Each structure stands twice: as structure tokens, then as C-alpha cells.
Amino acid sequence: GTGTPLLELTDLSVNYGAIQAVRGLTLHVQEGEVVTLIGANGAGKTTTLRAVSRVLRPVAGTVRFAGRDITRLPPDEAVKLGIAQSPEGRQVLARQSVQDNLELGAYTRRDAAGVRQDITRMYERFPRLGERRAQLAGTLSGGEQQMLAIARAMMSRPRLLLLDEPSLGLAPIIVREIFSIIRELNEQGTTILLVEQNARLAMQSSHRTYVLEAGQMTFHGDSPELLNDERVLHAYLGG
Ligand code: ATP
């Protein structure tokens, strides 16, 4: 697309104490895109997502959302603006029911009727969550917990969904299901920034890809092209 990006990171740097996890990162996500971040363990992918969701405060650079500088916005304000994160390791509330988890995902909303309606829609989209709505989230399978984590993030009606390793630890058939859900959410209008170890599947499911190494962006491009790029084939696709 053209025009103001939905998300724009400029010269972003994020530290953990003396550790420079992200260094001078510049990237953008246009409305309607799925964009993938790939890179080895420790490259700074999760840190980048956490800076966007405002959980981490950058030491330098800016985060812009729909043209607005949100670098210093508190995390719940970012949710209200339309940024939702499904964190790595799923992190559903294990001792709460499926339904409670979905309600919690809507904590910034004041339209109770709309929230109920959205929960019904989530149960239509994720029938297994509907069947297990009263069950404690901790008793769900790994794949179901991942679906719940995504559904919970969607409950804030985000314009931008941040997905951190949605395929982590899941069986191949479930991974394919998760990715078809990701494509479907995108087709229905949600812009997605995706972090994945499964680089091939993530690139096959995204419009563009950024490659991170040691906290810096090394190259980027359209995903279909990078899928055939020697640098990606060699380092990230086992080619
Ligand atoms: P992974 O796939 O392992 O999650 P990643 O690309 O998401 O990798 P990050 O988790 O963003 O990488 O980590 C970037 C760097 O920051 C790494 O050197 C990591 O060790 C360090 N780091 C991450 N979290 C913390 C933390 N809470 N405290 C200190 N250092 C951290």
C-alpha cells in the first residue's frame, strides 16, 4: 500500500541494562500487510514487538502508529489505540476459563454488548474454544492455548496484531491451522507483525520480511522474493 504506514519504527534502540537488544532499527508496516521478522535466537525480534506494544521503553528512536508518535505511550493506551500482542509462549491465564480469558482481552473496551458479540464470533471462528468455554485455559492443548491467545488479542479489536512465535512447540498440522487463521484474520482486515522461527511458513504467509541479526536489520524485501534469496535460503531456510 501507499500513504502513512500503520506502524513505523525509526532508528529504534532497546537495551536491557548493558545489553543492546535492538540497535537502530527502522522498519514499517502498511495497513493490510502481514510482515514477518526473522532471525536467529537473540536477534531482537521479541524485543522489537515489546517496544511496539509499549511494554519496553526504547533508549532511542521512535515508534509511530497511524502517524502518531507513541514512543512514550503506556501499554494500555497502545491497546486502546489498536495494538494487541499475542506473546511468546502463549501465556493464557491458566487458572481462568476460556471465556474469562476472552473477556480479559477486551479489558479496555466499554461496549459490553459488542464484547459479548465478539466472544460469540470468536467461538464461531474457533469452535474448539466454544466447546471448551467453561474449561480452565491451562487444561487446553498447546494448539488450543495458542488459538486462545490469538482470540484474546483479537478481543481488543486491534488494527495491528503482534504475534510472537505462534507456532512454537506445536505439531505440524496445528501449525498449518494457526497459519491459515493468521491469513484469514489478515484477509478480514487485521494488519499483522509476525515473529517466527518457522521462517518458511511465515514468509509464505506474509507480504514482506525483515531479517534481523544481533539487534540490527540486515536486509528486507517482499517475502516471495526472499524465499528464493540465497542469503535467506542458506541461513534461515536450511537451503
Ligand atoms: P528468541 O527467538 O530467542 O526470542 P529474539 O530474536 O526474540 O530471540 P530477543 O528475545 O529480543 O531476541 O533478545 C534480544 C537480546 O536481548 C538477546 O541477547 C537476549 O539475550 C537479550 N534479552 C532478552 N530479554 C532479556 C531480558 N529480560 N533481560 C536481559 N536480556 C534480555
Side-chain angles (χ1 to χ4, degrees):
T2 53
T4 308
L6 185 58
L7 177 71
E8 196 172 17
L9 308 181
T10 309
D11 293 328
L12 193 76
S13 296
V14 187
N15 297 351
Y16 298 99
I19 297 169
Q20 297 181 301
V22 170
R23 298 185 287 165
L25 180 65
T26 294
L27 64 79
H28 70 275
V29 180
Q30 295 289 351
E31 184 118 51
E33 278 190 311
V34 179
V35 170
T36 302
L37 301 182
I38 63 171
N41 283 333
K45 306 180 298 293
T46 296
T47 303
T48 301
L49 291 193
R50 298 181 79 214
V52 174
S53 63
R54 311 294 317 108
V55 175
L56 289 175
R57 177 186 281 249
V59 290
T62 56
V63 180
R64 286 186 163 271
F65 183 72
R68 175 175 166 186
D69 187 340
I70 63 159
T71 316
R72 271 159 199 84
L73 206 68
D76 57 326
E77 293 294 326
V79 175
K80 280 186 201 162
L81 273 188
I83 301 174
Q85 182 162 13
S86 176
E88 185 175 357
R90 305 188 271 274
Q91 297 182 21
V92 295
L93 296 174
R95 296 176 155 278
Q96 306 270 353
S97 71
V98 166
Q99 175 107 10
D100 288 344
N101 270 273
L102 292 180
E103 283 170 5
L104 278 163
Y107 79 103
T108 56
R109 291 173 59 181
R110 294 288 166 267
D111 57 324
V115 169
R116 278 196 302 276
Q117 219 168 49
D118 282 1
I119 288 178
T120 304
R121 284 181 45 237
M122 289 304 162
Y123 290 154
E124 286 164 11
R125 179 178 283 146
F126 303 96
R128 273 177 298 177
L129 296 184
E131 290 160 18
R132 290 159 176 73
R133 67 186 72 186
Q135 213 169 298
L136 297 185
T139 67
L140 300 178
S141 72
E144 289 160 358
Q145 288 189 27
Q146 183 60 67
M147 287 174 200
L148 179 57
I150 293 172
R152 186 184 56 182
M154 289 302 294
M155 284 302 300
S156 64
R157 290 197 172 174
R159 288 174 76 184
L160 176 66
L161 178 63
L162 308 171
L163 291 176
D164 197 351
E165 302 277 6
S167 81
L168 196 69
L170 301 179
I173 188 169
I174 308 295
V175 170
R176 282 196 291 277
E177 201 176 330
I178 295 285
F179 272 90
S180 91
I181 288 164
I182 291 170
R183 285 189 293 264
E184 188 186 312
L185 292 175
N186 177 247
E187 280 156 17
Q188 290 167 0
T190 309
T191 304
I192 295 171
L193 180 56
L194 172 69
V195 163
E196 254 297 327
Q197 289 292 329
N198 190 332
R200 186 181 304 277
L201 200 47
M203 293 173 71
Q204 285 169 345
S205 306
S206 64
H207 301 97
R208 289 187 303 113
T209 296
Y210 289 91
V211 181
L212 270 60
E213 262 174 53
Q216 293 181 304
M217 202 251 293
T218 47
F219 52 96
H220 65 101
D222 291 339
S223 299
E225 283 165 31
L226 285 190
L227 273 166
N228 298 309
D229 187 300
E230 283 298 328
R231 297 165 293 181
V232 175
L233 277 171
H234 179 70
Y236 303 103
L237 301 177

